[in-house]
Amino acid sequence: MMAEAIDKAVQVEKLCQKAQPCIACDLHLRRTNVVFGEGNPLSPLVIVGEGPGENEDKTGRPFVGRAGVLLDECLRECGMLRKHVYITNVVRCRAADPDETGRMKNRPPTSQESATCINLWLEPTLAVIQPLVILCLGAPSANAIIHKGFKMMQERGTFFPTKYGRYAIAGLHPAYILRQQGEAFDSARASLVADIETARKKVIEAKKEPPATLF
Ligand code: URA
């Protein structure tokens, strides 16, 4: 068991090192750092966001900007810290283009960029970690992990079986929550806390289930 755990951590680290020089899509042209993921690769709970923004690109760490601070707060309200989960994204390099003034502006990754990064890095990472529960933050992550055309407002907070982990659930992206004001902000934030708590409880339940295969 112990050897298995060490092996998982080593394999995720190897993938991370292998991803550093990745030039599989054009996102590499403007990136400062590859943002592979962080936290505990032995955790049964993996959180998948959309992709790095400016702060993440600068530091090489996922969710370190304002959205990350909010995510940390919500995790803490459910009794968890980053070291209790593994955090990664659909894409590992910042998707951004210069605006008219030359300032870099974030944009959603294209379906091609997402598919490339999922095949090369997200899928292999999840195959090593084998999470019991994946929490997708935002529709792009839910579209990639749960199903295409995911309807966040109707489908968030419920579990879906997935090939990437035993169960997946989606919640509002912290960056979306930060764009809300007043009561809308409070209720969006509360919904993320509730979805994290639902995911945490599902991990406890899933640990009691028999393994999917006998051998
Ligand atoms: N938003 C994301 O989806 N991921 C990050 O790592 C940071 C912001």
Side-chain angles (χ1 to χ4, degrees), residues 143-161:
N143 281 324
I145 302 274
I146 300 178
H147 67 78
K148 287 204 177 74
F150 190 88
K151 303 252 178 319
M152 185 56 74
M153 292 310 168
Q154 287 100 302
E155 297 182 285
R156 62 148 276 271
T158 54
F159 288 101
F160 296 81

Side-chain angles (χ1 to χ4, degrees), residues 12-22 36 121:
V12 170
E13 182 53 28
K14 274 191 185 157
L15 281 167
C16 174
Q17 292 311 320
K18 213 169 145 196
Q20 300 307 308
C22 182
F36 193 82
W121 308 116

Side-chain angles (χ1 to χ4, degrees), residues 71-91:
L71 177 60
D72 286 341
E73 277 174 25
C74 295
L75 281 170
R76 194 179 281 268
E77 282 174 38
C78 299
M80 290 188 284
L81 301 170
R82 274 179 192 236
K83 68 179 180 189
H84 298 123
V85 299
Y86 188 78
I87 305 179
T88 188
N89 282 302
V90 172
V91 295

Side-chain angles (χ1 to χ4, degrees), residues 210-215:
T213 54
L214 283 175
F215 303 105

Side-chain angles (χ1 to χ4, degrees), residues 35 48-53 56 61-65 67-68 87-91 137 173-175:
V35 181
V48 180
E50 178 175 350
E56 291 77 19
R61 298 179 54 211
F63 282 101
V64 289
I87 305 179
T88 188
N89 282 302
V90 172
V91 295
L137 295 180
H173 194 290

Side-chain angles (χ1 to χ4, degrees), residues 114-129:
S114 297
T116 304
C117 209
I118 290 166
N119 289 335
L120 272 176
W121 308 116
L122 182 61
E123 269 201 37
T125 306
L126 294 175
V128 171
I129 297 179

